[in-house]
Amino acid sequence: MPLAMSEEQERISARPDAEKPRSPTETSGRADLIIVTTALLVVFAIALGLGIGFRTYHQPSLSASGNNGGSQSLNDDWRLDTSTAYSISSNWNSSAPKTTREYNFTISNVVGWPDGFNRTLTVINGQFPGPMIEANMGDRIVINVVNEGDIPTTLHWHGLYQNGTNFMDGVANINQCPIPPGKSMIYNFTVQDQYGTYWYHSHYKTQYMDGVIGPLIIHSEEEDLLIGDLYDYDQVILLTDWYHGMSDSYIDAYLTPGNENTEPVPDNGLINGANYFNCSLTPYDTCYQDEANRAMFNVQQNKTYRFRVINTGAFAEIDFSVDDHVLTLIEGDGTLIKPTEIHKLQVSVAQRYSVLLHTNISTAAESTEIFYVRAELDQFCFATDNPLLDPGVKGYLVYNNSQREDESQKISEFINNPSNSWNDVAANVRCKDLNNTAIEPLISETPPNATHFYRLDSAFLIKAYQRDRAYINGTTWYSPDVSILYQALQMFQLATDFELDNNNVTTLMTTSGVLPLGVFSGDQNQYIINVNKENSVIDILINNLDDGSHPFHLHGYKFWVLGSGLGNFDYKQYGSVVSNATNPMKRDTLQVVSYGWALIRFVADNPGLWPFHCHITWHLEAGLFMQFQILPEKIAQFDPPVDWTELCAA
Ligand code: C2O
């Protein structure tokens, strides 16, 4: 059930400072209430003996009294307590026998105010951000998704291979027909051959921006053996850009004729679903001014924390840092990395990194024991300004050395005399990834030689009806009406020969890319590269002809990053780029900079229809999306469950 605020609550919250008679319970004012509730929280945390206490520093409820003299509270049950929900227990047993991990997810709309600004959220189990999924490598994960929202939905498990279960990958109208309101679907898959930090999100249009996101953590004995000794505590930190309207309300204006790829600019950013927003900047009354709406990470001195940083946003590249603390990078997109020290971490949309933070500031005393945790939105890639946006998104890192009951006092002192951000890192004017060639996987691997090479030109072009759409090799993607995989399975039942005509695949060198005849020839909006030979190793050159950077994501795989650069790729360099790539970084999401190129490679051993797309939701809606159809003879053997099929047959 959507939780709508009563008119009365809206009226009262709209003018928190308005002169009006106050009931006795209100006379202490909000500031005191914050202190009292914070103190209670602190006492509670101490009472629980929590060694680590990550939480949002905010008031749990507001009391408000209406004209009728009755009292109502502005309930923030919608806010997930990430202090507990996103901290990974040191008791997690990565060598437990293989098991099934079950989750029930109900999707619905609620009203919430992550940064104080009141809006409708689409959430899982009534809370924002979404719950954490945890499993061991080898486990089965079963998620029963019930859609009580007002639009269709799907869930995608970003970065999971789904080997053999491509129909559980969750891309609306590609891997499945979406779950309409009032219906449900059970996702059921095992996690093989991978571990680390992943996330899940709705893959129906732009819906994940409204709140359908959460972390997905895969543990393994191997990982514990390799890096388990390096840290004491383990915590997930979600970073996101944040918009004050429902995501679909921006689409029409963005894709309107005459608009040359001017993406909507976020209003704010969030750290674990929280941040401050200056309510006086908006004409809207429904904004709850509260400096205290910030993520707060309580740490102990002389410990090491693993922070798993995930960009769950839609558009902005985000620079993560902690004032006065050096970070040690150890994981990216589920690949362990040889420890590398950094001051600022550039995280593109949908990427994940684990960093270690040592709480070794020995001078941390009364006045300096708080530090800003920063998640700066990189504005260089925004086409316009949003006057509401303060890109300096912040949370607090608080050493628990001294008297914690003074916390809110200390925070107000800290705000007047804050810590300083790292200023030795050059501005990231092209919204680049961190340098992928400067990091190396901990477990060395030499990529096999490529058997195929494809060049993908991505560009925004104004063609029909003055519309600015995104094209990959001349095709702009529009969502089909029925799942492509569903259509393919039906066609494959009739197919006898998978080596039929080739079609619109642009290849530079050699290809055996072949599409089964007739399957998709009726849909000119799908660009699909077919790989029908076992043991194919695919090189892709992405040529970005656009003035924006694009975080490209390949489903079903991790790819090696063989090289990248600015301008046009010089084909004469192909051999040297490829042979210089010893133990290259392997990941599932890569920022390809404006007017630049990237060369990536993957072993096409996972059958299915796998999207390859820009993860910026605006660009996805503009058509920056294509698919690889890998091993169609194996796709033909897929046998999805009945509830999956019924979503298409309905
Ligand atoms: Cu994170 Cu196509 O997805």
Side-chain angles (χ1 to χ4, degrees):
M1 280 291 287
L3 300 169
M5 283 204 308
S6 72
E7 268 178 35
E8 190 135 88
Q9 284 170 318
E10 285 179 346
R11 186 187 59 73
I12 290 163
S13 56
R15 297 179 201 85
D17 302 320
E19 299 262 346
K20 64 182 169 69
R22 289 172 176 273
S23 71
T25 54
E26 271 191 290
T27 48
S28 60
R30 295 187 56 187
D32 292 4
L33 198 67
I34 296 168
I35 291 164
V36 170
T37 51
T38 305
L40 283 174
L41 270 175
V42 167
V43 170
F44 184 60
I46 291 169
L48 282 176
L50 296 175
I52 185 170
F54 292 122
R55 62 196 158 76
T56 303
Y57 174 61
H58 72 283
Q59 55 199 98
S61 68
L62 290 174
S63 287
S65 173
N67 285 342
N68 60 8
S71 138
Q72 292 167 319
S73 72
L74 196 51
N75 183 316
D76 75 349
D77 288 349
W78 58 269
R79 198 189 279 277
L80 182 76
D81 177 6
T82 56
S83 64
T84 48
Y86 287 177
S87 90
I88 289 159
S89 166
S90 51
N91 293 326
W92 181 275
N93 181 1
S94 63
S95 44
K98 304 285 164 268
T99 186
T100 299
R101 315 264 174 190
E102 286 186 45
Y103 294 84
N104 289 305
F105 280 10
T106 299
I107 293 178
S108 69
N109 287 346
V110 300
V111 168
W113 46 97
D115 59 353
F117 189 93
N118 193 310
R119 53 158 290 183
T120 299
L121 308 169
T122 307
V123 296
I124 296 162
N125 298 342
Q127 290 192 306
F128 175 78
M132 180 160 72
I133 293 178
E134 267 183 290
N136 283 327
M137 189 165 89
D139 284 350
R140 176 170 294 279
I141 302 181
V142 175
I143 310 106
N144 182 20
V145 177
V146 179
N147 186 5
E148 290 184 0
D150 51 13
I151 60 169
T153 195
T154 63
L155 284 185
H156 166 60
W157 324 97
H158 184 115
L160 294 194
Y161 297 147
Q162 298 287 4
N163 198 333
T165 46
N166 176 246
F167 45 86
M168 291 294 163
D169 197 44
V171 182
N173 294 321
I174 304 296
N175 307 98
Q176 69 168 101
C177 296
I179 309 165
K183 291 277 192 294
S184 65
M185 180 184 139
I186 295 173
Y187 290 86
N188 182 340
F189 50 85
T190 57
V191 184
Q192 305 287 358
D193 305 319
Q194 63 185 150
Y195 52 80
T197 307
Y198 301 87
W199 64 299
Y200 63 83
H201 58 84
S202 166
H203 216 305
Y204 179 79
K205 298 190 174 173
T206 55
Q207 190 187 43
Y208 85 74
M209 297 175 63
D210 298 313
V212 189
I213 49 114
L216 196 168
I217 306 300
I218 307 298
H219 301 277
S220 76
E221 273 183 287
E222 180 178 65
E223 189 193 44
D224 276 1
L225 282 171
L226 288 165
I227 61 164
D229 288 345
L230 298 182
Y231 54 91
D232 304 296
Y233 298 105
D234 192 353
Q235 171 74 22
V236 171
I237 303 182
L238 305 187
L239 313 179
T240 184
D241 45 24
W242 190 242
Y243 292 77
H244 285 161
M246 288 301 276
S247 61
D248 63 0
S249 68
Y250 298 90
I251 295 290
D252 286 352
Y254 170 56
L255 293 178
T256 201
N259 183 8
E260 289 194 33
N261 195 25
T262 304
E263 300 91 351
V265 173
D267 299 306
N268 205 349
L270 307 176
I271 299 177
N272 276 351
N275 192 24
Y276 169 81
F277 178 71
N278 181 353
C279 288
S280 70
L281 295 175
T282 79
Y284 296 103
D285 284 346
T286 49
C287 188
Y288 312 135
Q289 191 62 69
D290 196 346
E291 166 67 31
N293 275 326
R294 288 192 197 271
M296 175 182 267
F297 303 94
N298 285 297
V299 294
Q300 292 181 345
Q301 195 152 18
N302 293 322
K303 298 284 182 200
T304 303
Y305 293 80
R306 178 181 186 175
F307 286 159
R308 300 176 188 249
V309 178
I310 310 177
N311 185 338
T312 61
F315 181 27
E317 186 271 323
I318 301 178
D319 294 339
F320 178 82
S321 62
V322 181
D323 289 0
D324 294 319
H325 291 76
V326 174
L327 304 173
T328 307
L329 190 62
I330 56 163
E331 184 220 340
D333 291 5
T335 299
L336 291 179
I337 296 170
K338 290 185 180 161
T340 306
E341 288 195 346
I342 45 163
H343 293 170
K344 257 189 202 181
L345 179 64
Q346 293 87 30
V347 195
S348 298
V349 169
Q351 292 182 328
R352 294 86 59 207
Y353 290 105
S354 285
V355 290
L356 301 180
L357 174 136
H358 311 286
T359 49
N360 56 359
I361 310 284
S362 56
T363 55
E366 297 281 314
S367 58
T368 56
E369 67 177 354
I370 301 174
F371 303 88
Y372 274 133
V373 172
R374 297 181 194 264
E376 297 161 283
L377 306 193
D378 191 336
Q379 287 185 288
F380 287 104
C381 290
F382 298 167
T384 52
D385 277 339
N386 179 344
L388 301 185
L389 173 65
D390 171 2
V393 178
K394 296 187 277 292
Y396 302 118
L397 182 84
V398 181
Y399 278 50
N400 291 331
N401 303 336
S402 53
Q403 325 86 303
R404 299 190 52 181
E405 56 278 15
D406 283 331
E407 199 171 60
S408 59
Q409 167 82 36
K410 280 192 186 132
I411 282 179
S412 24
E413 285 167 14
F414 171 76
I415 290 167
N416 292 323
N417 186 18
S419 53
N420 296 311
S421 70
W422 287 101
N423 56 13
D424 57 346
V425 184
N428 190 1
V429 292
R430 279 181 183 257
C431 303
K432 281 198 266 191
D433 264 3
L434 100 177
N435 184 355
N436 278 280
T437 53
I439 52 177
E440 237 187 290
L442 188 63
I443 303 170
S444 291
E445 234 181 346
T446 304
N449 291 333
T451 60
H452 295 62
F453 178 99
Y454 296 97
R455 167 180 163 173
L456 303 175
D457 285 345
S458 87
F460 276 79
L461 300 170
I462 296 172
K463 288 191 184 175
Y465 309 107
Q466 290 302 105
R467 275 204 189 96
D468 191 24
R469 299 270 318 175
Y471 292 80
I472 298 178
N473 287 358
T475 302
T476 184
W477 181 73
Y478 285 92
S479 176
D481 295 331
V482 179
S483 151
I484 298 285
L485 180 60
Y486 180 81
Q487 294 182 50
L489 291 177
Q490 296 210 313
M491 286 303 290
F492 291 162
Q493 287 174 354
L494 309 172
T496 51
D497 185 355
F498 289 89
E499 301 256 357
L500 301 172
D501 279 358
N502 201 346
N503 67 0
N504 59 353
V505 175
T506 309
T507 62
L508 186 83
M509 293 185 174
T510 159
T511 175
S512 59
V514 177
L515 271 173
L517 184 67
V519 177
F520 310 114
S521 57
D523 189 343
Q524 295 306 310
N525 303 314
Q526 311 302 317
Y527 183 62
I528 304 173
I529 290 179
N530 187 57
V531 178
N532 61 0
K533 293 257 189 318
E534 301 262 3
N535 305 315
S536 294
V537 180
I538 311 292
D539 272 2
I540 301 170
L541 175 71
I542 309 145
N543 218 7
N544 179 6
L545 305 172
D546 181 34
D547 62 358
S549 297
H550 299 297
F552 272 96
H553 169 46
L554 177 63
H555 286 227
Y557 292 91
K558 287 192 203 332
F559 49 77
W560 288 286
V561 183
L562 300 181
S564 63
L566 293 176
N568 285 322
F569 179 67
D570 175 359
Y571 292 98
K572 292 195 290 291
Q573 286 181 5
Y574 180 62
S576 68
V577 168
V578 164
S579 56
N580 283 339
T582 50
N583 193 24
M585 180 57 187
K586 203 176 188 187
R587 61 187 322 159
D588 59 51
T589 308
L590 175 71
Q591 184 88 294
V592 184
V593 296
S594 53
Y595 303 118
W597 57 271
L599 184 65
I600 64 174
R601 176 175 295 176
F602 68 98
V603 178
D605 55 2
N606 182 7
L609 272 160
W610 299 112
F612 183 58
H613 65 87
C614 171
H615 215 289
I616 292 176
T617 53
W618 311 125
H619 298 167
L620 194 55
E621 287 301 294
L624 205 46
F625 180 102
M626 62 165 289
Q627 296 151 74
F628 285 89
Q629 175 180 271
I630 302 202
L631 302 174
E633 275 173 278
K634 290 195 174 160
I635 295 175
Q637 310 301 317
F638 286 162
D639 188 17
V642 174
D643 63 340
W644 184 95
T645 308
E646 278 175 351
L647 288 175
C648 294

